[in-house]
Amino acid sequence: MSKRRRDEYTPIAEAMSLINNKVNLIGLVLQTGFPKKSKGTDFFCLVKIIDESYPNGGLSVNIFTETMDKLPVVLSHGGDIILLSQVVLRKHVAGCFGVLESWLWTHALNIFIANFDGICKILRVWEIRKDEWMLLVWDGTDTPPVAINSKLEDEMDNPLPLESVPVCLPRDILCNLPRLGTVLSVTLDCGNEKLGVNVLGTDRWVKFDNLRCQLHASLWNASLLPITRFCYVRDEDHIVLLRMREHKERSKSKWGWMPLSSLPWPTHVTVTDHPDVPFVSLMRALANPRVVGKFHCVVRVVASFPWSVEEYRSPSGIYRIRLTLEDPTARIHAYLYAEDAEHFFGGYPSFDVLKRKRNLLLGISESDGDSEMNETSRNPPWIICCLFSYPIDENDVWGSRNFRIFATILVG
């Protein structure tokens, strides 16, 4: 750095002792916060920077501007340098922080942050309703299966949702999502943070800090908090390269389309016939370009409607059951009907046998006995089944598309 630059900018370590004085700083950006509206009329965001004199921890600086569009936005893949003028350093309970009203970005080449956990790719920044935003993020891995805590008898009036948020993905968005690995929905739980969420770039790898992960109806989702921070990560980062390599290798393997937590092999269900039907994830089946298709899937059955085996057949004796299936990529409804259900259950067994088969399918343990009327924690096993997709309304083939289980026998 030239003598002029050293005279003009104060090293962070030196600036930390200049409390309540104005200093000029230059630093590498570690993180940026989401733009917010202050309690007054202006806007602000937090930027954390480091330099050679202060490489650990970083200095947090709040930047205030009259309008949100004047706030800094990281537009590169990380490693940005920011020039900060007239920063006032103040004491804080956790150390020092800076306040300023002037800034300038430059871009540093070949500098990036690595070795972070929580790295994911932003697939979509979606305004689901006016001023309500949602992110779709992905890192190529599967979220782990979780226990199902819903009451079986609630499935008619309060069915398990197919999405972790109260909105269904439009087909044009769904068809552009990855077919393997969990796509996580990230909603906002941070007040006026929604004003700045659209600064996030799509198709970008990013590292989030303090992102809350939670369960809703036994589905994973996440939310942004007021303390959430982020920084972009280069495509060349070793974690990104590892995730992409693993995803590529998995997608090339026939068995790679099975959920990782189902290995070494699912139990209880065997598929007959149709050995040529490909193994796919539920997301790949949903995004299939043809409305009619046949698929092998490895899934868990998380709900059944009707829940009582005495109601599995109509008064005329025909099976008609709706099952809720899930894997790490999606949750869908699939029907067991007529001869396919007869094949599945091995004919028309007694209600006691049918109940045992249902309990096996839904993960109701023998120790629960007849506790299906109570709210119990269930862990359904992974099963293999054949799915057939078809429309029921030729005038709206995609809107009326259903899935049906066929050529599958429940054993055990």
Side-chain angles (χ1 to χ4, degrees), residues 223-238:
S223 58
L224 300 174
L225 304 172
I227 59 173
T228 298
R229 301 289 178 259
F230 72 95
C231 61
Y232 288 111
V233 180
R234 290 178 178 271
D235 290 347
E236 297 82 9
D237 180 89
H238 77 279

Side-chain angles (χ1 to χ4, degrees), residues 122-134:
I122 299 175
L123 303 174
R124 185 90 180 194
V125 181
W126 183 27
E127 189 175 19
I128 56 179
R129 285 183 286 267
K130 182 174 176 58
D131 291 332
E132 292 187 39
W133 295 82
M134 183 173 76

Side-chain angles (χ1 to χ4, degrees), residues 36-38 40-44 63-71 100-103:
K36 307 177 185 178
K37 193 176 187 304
S38 71
T41 59
D42 50 4
F43 296 82
F44 74 99
I63 301 177
F64 290 84
T65 60
E66 300 87 357
T67 60
M68 189 173 68
D69 58 6
K70 291 183 179 180
L71 291 170
L100 79 159
E101 296 182 357
S102 177
W103 59 272

Side-chain angles (χ1 to χ4, degrees), residues 221-401:
N221 71 344
S223 58
L224 300 174
L225 304 172
I227 59 173
T228 298
R229 301 289 178 259
F230 72 95
C231 61
Y232 288 111
V233 180
R234 290 178 178 271
D235 290 347
E236 297 82 9
D237 180 89
H238 77 279
I239 294 179
V240 173
L241 293 175
L242 175 64
R243 299 271 173 83
M244 295 305 297
R245 181 170 65 251
E246 290 175 345
H247 176 259
K248 184 177 181 180
E249 291 173 354
R250 186 179 171 192
S251 62
K252 287 182 176 180
S253 168
K254 173 182 178 180
W255 310 118
W257 291 91
M258 296 167 52
L260 295 178
S261 55
S262 70
L263 301 175
W265 195 253
T267 57
H268 302 309
V269 168
T270 181
V271 178
T272 61
D273 306 323
H274 304 285
D276 56 330
V277 174
F279 269 96
V280 301
S281 65
L282 289 180
M283 180 63 78
R284 186 174 174 185
L286 283 169
N288 192 54
R290 296 183 178 180
V291 68
V292 176
K294 293 179 180 180
F295 318 95
H296 269 131
C297 292
V298 177
V299 299
R300 300 199 308 164
V301 181
V302 296
S304 169
F305 177 73
W307 67 272
S308 173
V309 297
E310 287 81 3
E311 299 178 27
Y312 273 10
R313 298 195 293 266
S314 68
S316 60
I318 298 176
Y319 282 106
R320 69 278 191 278
I321 309 162
R322 187 191 72 192
L323 301 179
T324 305
L325 312 181
E326 72 170 21
D327 73 0
T329 68
R331 185 181 279 180
I332 69 168
H333 288 147
Y335 294 87
L336 266 175
Y337 184 73
E339 65 274 7
D340 290 325
E342 180 183 349
H343 189 62
F344 186 85
F345 290 118
Y348 298 91
S350 67
F351 288 144
D352 286 341
V353 173
L354 203 57
K355 181 180 289 187
R356 180 175 57 80
K357 289 177 177 287
R358 180 207 61 186
N359 291 352
L360 178 67
L361 196 63
L362 293 172
I364 302 173
S365 66
E366 293 182 5
S367 60
D368 291 332
D370 293 327
S371 64
E372 64 264 24
M373 290 294 293
N374 301 315
E375 186 172 356
T376 58
S377 181
R378 298 181 284 110
N379 285 289
W382 291 107
I383 66 169
I384 302 174
C385 65
C386 265
L387 291 179
F388 172 63
S389 65
Y390 60 97
I392 58 175
D393 183 355
E394 292 300 327
N395 296 316
D396 182 19
V397 293
W398 288 111
S400 66
R401 188 189 192 202

